[in-house]
Amino acid sequence: MASPSEAFGCGDFRRQNVSRREALRAGALALTGLSLPQLYARGQGAGANGFGRARACILIFQWGGPSHLDTWDPKPDAPAGIRGEFSTIATSTPGLMISEHFPMLAARSHRLAVIRSMTHDDAAHLSTAHRVVTGHLAPRPNSDDAGPSPNDWPHLGALVAKVHPRSGAIPDSVTMPWTVAHPAAPGGKAPGQHGGWLGKVYDPFRIDGDPNAPDFRVPGLGLPDGVSLGRLDERRALLASTGDSLDLPAWDAFQARALDALGSAEAQGAFRIDGEAPRIREMYGRNIHGQCLLMARRLVESGVRLVTVNWHNDGQNFWDTHGDNFNRLKNDLMPPADRGFSALLDDLHARGLLDETLVVWVGEFGRAPKITAANAGREHWPRCYSAALAGAGIGGGQIWGASDRWGAYPARDPVSPDDLGATILHSLGVDPASEIPDTFGRPMRINTGAALTSLFA
């Protein structure tokens, strides 16, 4: 078994009953250009242990590998070379201590279930990103050499869209604010961020850019200059009469939905973050991460089922803190993460959406227990790390699992990225054991993990 000092660095690269509240909310949204499409087909009812409780999921992917020891799972009694520079603070959950630099989340931990026993054995960024966002091993595990491929497993949002398809201009799945990539990885972009072998029709809708920018607009929404709705309808009729669809039924569906989105005030309104009150925007933090989380709230409110918010390209290797770990965390990474996540929990709760929205905060791995003395950094460490879940019936104020005394390995109740993916699918009403056919017609089990059903109250 490897010791904490044998860490990896980037250089190694290896519900039909609609309640009065719901109807009022839908009407209020309509006044602002938003609505809940078919009220999320409400009336399905949630099953036991949270099955189908979530109408949507917001996956906050902290790209780069946050240090669990400096965030959710500090070790105040460990030697300084493991403990690090930060102090711990009490939370609203008895017995849960977290980093001093998550003060807002500490006050809201009664809404959270903190998992302290995430684990796997892949220290590569790219292949592990695939596993987090798909719930499956990458075609090439333990690799930073392989970028996106048609052989990738479909993104979790693509799987949900395949199993529970719905019509309308609102996308099933949205990813923002970029396609995650690592400048030091030979493969570049991480695999698993698209429709994979399901095909491009299932690709999540992508928002590229900074929602905090004054001139921010979502490319691909709204009609081009000089094109009216009438002209768009004429183009649609022409396409239908000429059969200009590449003779692919999937492309027909994709094309029709894209055209619907161009002329849909609902779709366009969902993405107009500038329509939010300044007070709300400030609450989330006027930075790219905070505004992406606000955008995510708008999108699930409008009907998007799965929104992935990737930690943005900050030009400094994201949460990949091989050097200057403590300054990077306390000055650049943890303050916007603390404020944004806290605001999202408060906002969803205030709008009556937290009971039906699963929120997941996780990275692809953690950081090594041992601090690298030469650069005050921590290296890759997949064998033990942390995640946090809230909403959709998740029992708040929980601690799931535990790490050992140095945070190097799970001491009990290990959780894999596959298990986390299964939990997301389960919450959204998708049986992880169900099967879908691949491109050759072979039945493929959606997920091989075990959903953490006991997390649900």
Side-chain angles (χ1 to χ4, degrees):
M1 182 173 291
S3 71
S5 62
E6 293 171 7
F8 289 76
C10 284
D12 293 308
F13 280 112
R14 305 240 198 259
R15 145 187 69 102
Q16 292 300 341
N17 295 324
V18 178
S19 73
R20 181 174 181 271
R21 173 182 60 78
E22 291 159 344
L24 288 171
R25 185 169 75 245
L29 288 168
L31 291 175
T32 61
L34 294 172
S35 70
L36 296 170
Q38 299 86 39
L39 285 179
Y40 290 128
R42 224 176 285 280
Q44 299 301 310
N49 299 111
F51 184 77
R53 176 69 175 263
R55 306 302 172 185
C57 172
I58 298 173
L59 173 59
I60 309 172
F61 182 33
Q62 304 297 66
W63 172 238
S67 169
H68 56 299
L69 292 153
D70 303 314
T71 55
W72 300 106
D73 193 12
K75 301 294 181 181
D77 298 324
I82 290 173
R83 181 180 68 245
E85 300 178 6
F86 300 161
S87 298
T88 59
I89 55 173
T91 70
S92 58
T93 301
L96 175 64
M97 304 288 290
I98 63 174
S99 170
E100 62 176 320
H101 297 296
F102 271 173
M104 300 180 75
L105 286 168
R108 292 159 179 82
S109 71
H110 57 283
R111 301 195 190 282
L112 295 169
V114 176
I115 301 174
R116 285 178 160 174
S117 54
M118 293 294 301
T119 185
H120 59 85
D121 61 3
D122 186 346
H125 286 288
L126 300 197
S127 52
T128 304
H130 178 285
R131 194 168 182 184
V132 172
V133 300
T134 70
H136 286 267
L137 285 170
R140 286 180 59 187
N142 299 283
S143 174
D144 273 309
D145 294 328
S149 158
N151 298 320
D152 293 347
W153 261 86
H155 187 280
L156 288 165
L159 290 172
V160 173
K162 175 67 175 179
V163 177
H164 289 323
R166 58 178 183 77
S167 59
I170 299 294
D172 292 295
S173 178
V174 173
T175 297
M176 67 178 102
W178 71 313
T179 302
V180 296
H182 202 294
K189 294 180 181 179
Q193 301 182 75
H194 49 82
W197 48 260
L198 282 177
K200 291 189 66 61
V201 67
Y202 290 101
D203 284 359
F205 183 88
R206 300 206 175 275
I207 300 176
D208 294 318
D210 180 1
N212 192 46
D215 58 348
F216 174 75
R217 292 291 184 274
V218 177
L221 286 178
L223 298 174
D225 291 342
V227 177
S228 65
L229 281 174
R231 186 175 175 187
L232 180 65
D233 288 338
E234 290 172 3
R235 175 59 177 161
R236 191 194 303 268
L238 180 60
L239 286 170
S241 67
T242 61
D244 183 12
S245 62
L246 305 182
D247 295 324
L248 295 175
W251 178 255
D252 285 338
F254 179 75
Q255 184 182 67
R257 200 159 184 187
L259 290 171
D260 285 341
L262 284 173
S264 169
E266 178 182 51
Q268 294 171 38
F271 294 91
R272 289 300 300 268
I273 195 170
D274 56 351
E276 286 287 339
R279 176 184 64 83
I280 299 297
R281 299 197 70 176
E282 292 292 339
M283 180 176 75
Y284 278 85
R286 291 308 299 255
N287 54 71
I288 185 170
H289 184 65
Q291 298 304 294
C292 280
L293 293 178
L294 174 55
M295 178 74 82
R297 189 271 291 164
R298 290 181 64 86
L299 293 176
V300 300
E301 199 169 31
S302 68
V304 179
R305 301 222 56 203
L306 198 149
V307 181
T308 305
V309 176
N310 297 317
W311 188 264
H312 50 283
N313 182 3
D314 60 4
Q316 299 186 64
N317 287 356
F318 341 107
W319 291 81
D320 198 21
T321 52
H322 292 287
D324 201 23
N325 173 72
F326 300 100
N327 285 324
R328 283 281 287 138
L329 289 175
K330 72 181 180 182
N331 297 324
D332 305 325
L333 297 165
M334 295 180 70
D338 182 46
R339 182 171 182 174
F341 192 4
S342 297
L344 180 63
L345 294 175
D346 289 353
D347 202 9
L348 289 172
H349 176 70
R351 293 169 181 269
L353 292 168
L354 189 57
D355 283 346
E356 57 196 33
T357 305
L358 179 68
V359 184
V360 179
W361 190 105
V362 70
E364 69 268 38
F365 40 59
R367 313 303 297 180
K370 186 176 180 180
I371 298 167
T372 307
N375 60 9
R378 293 192 191 267
E379 318 304 340
H380 298 184
W381 192 258
R383 296 169 184 88
C384 191
Y385 61 110
S386 300
L389 287 73
I394 293 286
Q398 293 190 71
I399 307 170
W400 175 283
S403 62
D404 63 20
R405 62 178 183 161
W406 304 147
Y409 301 94
R412 65 172 186 269
D413 303 323
V415 178
S416 73
D418 313 38
D419 299 332
L420 189 63
T423 305
I424 293 172
L425 293 170
H426 173 92
S427 182
L428 288 167
V430 177
D431 182 358
S434 58
E435 297 177 336
I436 53 177
D438 67 6
T439 51
F440 299 101
R442 298 172 300 187
M444 304 290 284
R445 178 166 167 159
I446 287 177
N447 181 280
T448 57
L452 306 180
T453 56
S454 60
L455 283 179
F456 295 89

